[in-house]
């Protein structure tokens, strides 16, 4: 059983960790808890863009996921429960990674994802993944109403939902 779990978790791992390849390449700083979350602006389902900083005023969960990731898809029912339970206190921003635009839209439709969705184009993924220290999928990043990082959870971990329950008591 543990071998199967390890193999499935590895299937969603980010095999090409963001790295600076040339000595003169610009270094990317990594956000840590308590610091202001790095802002980004990505294409949304409505054909325009969504800027992370536009969501300030509420807690935000950034869910870095992909339709190809087994654990991301398995976690959707629990994410829907959390969204239903706390949507008056938080917003979820799904950030699709490593999918074509068609695969992304199809997955959102197929799984009936009710929260905000954006897509991270491949040319922006390395920078955003480095800023948020994403080494596997799903990665969930909780940001407070002031835009500061609260917690990052890698994988489909029940501790994420326990943390939300404690946060929104």
């Amino acid at each position: 059983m543990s071998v199967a779990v390890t193999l499935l978790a590895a299937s969603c791992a980010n095999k090409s960790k963001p790295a600076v390849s040339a000595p003169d390449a610009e270094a990317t700083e990594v956000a840590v808890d308590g610091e202001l979350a790095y802002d980004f602006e990505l294409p949304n389902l409505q054909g325009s863009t969504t800027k992370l900083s536009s969501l300030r005023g509420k807690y935000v969960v950034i869910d870095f996921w992909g339709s190809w990731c087994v654990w991301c898809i398995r976690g959707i029912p629990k994410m829907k429960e959390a969204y239903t339970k706390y949507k008056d206190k938080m917003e979820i921003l799904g950030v699709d990674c490593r999918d074509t635009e068609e695969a992304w839209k199809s997955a959102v439709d197929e799984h009936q994802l009710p929260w905000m969705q954006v897509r991270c184009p491949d040319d922006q993924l390395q920078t955003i993944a480095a800023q948020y220290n994403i080494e596997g999928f799903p990665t969930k990043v909780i940001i407070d109403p002031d835009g500061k990082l609260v917690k990052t959870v890698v994988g489909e971990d029940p501790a994420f939902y326990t943390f939300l329950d404690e946060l929104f008591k």
Side-chain angles (χ1 to χ4, degrees):
M1 178 74 166
S2 65
V3 172
V5 171
T6 302
L7 289 174
L8 285 173
S11 72
C12 292
N14 184 349
K15 304 252 186 320
S16 57
K17 291 182 183 176
V20 178
S21 57
D24 59 344
E26 184 178 326
T28 303
E29 291 188 35
V30 176
V32 296
D33 290 353
E35 290 185 354
L36 199 59
Y38 286 98
D39 203 9
F40 55 77
E41 186 171 357
L42 296 171
N44 60 36
L45 289 170
Q46 293 72 36
S48 60
T49 60
T50 298
K51 194 168 187 173
L52 177 61
S53 59
S54 72
L55 302 176
R56 287 204 184 135
K58 256 185 165 179
Y59 278 90
V60 176
V61 173
I62 307 173
D63 179 25
F64 292 96
W65 72 287
S67 68
W68 46 267
C69 171
V70 173
W71 288 107
C72 299
I73 301 306
R74 285 186 181 175
I76 289 173
K78 288 291 286 179
M79 283 292 281
K80 284 183 176 181
E81 286 176 26
Y83 182 71
T84 299
K85 192 173 183 180
Y86 298 121
K87 66 183 174 185
D88 60 328
K89 298 177 182 180
M90 72 171 189
E91 184 61 62
I92 297 176
L93 179 62
V95 178
D96 177 80
C97 303
R98 295 193 187 148
D99 273 323
T100 63
E101 185 173 348
E102 296 75 29
W104 164 54
K105 288 179 178 180
S106 176
V108 170
D109 186 49
E110 177 184 345
H111 300 289
Q112 300 177 357
L113 303 180
W115 49 85
M116 298 175 70
Q117 294 290 328
V118 295
R119 180 175 170 269
C120 186
D122 291 342
D123 64 343
Q124 290 179 271
L125 180 57
Q126 183 172 345
T127 300
I128 291 173
Q131 289 171 332
Y132 285 92
N133 201 25
I134 299 169
E135 294 185 0
F137 294 90
T139 294
K140 296 173 179 69
V141 179
I142 302 169
I143 300 172
D144 76 10
D146 295 323
K148 293 184 180 177
L149 288 157
V150 175
K151 186 169 186 70
T152 300
V153 178
V154 179
E156 188 52 35
D157 188 341
F160 168 75
Y161 303 101
T162 301
F163 184 82
L164 289 182
D165 290 338
E166 289 296 316
L167 184 64
F168 297 127
K169 268 188 185 178

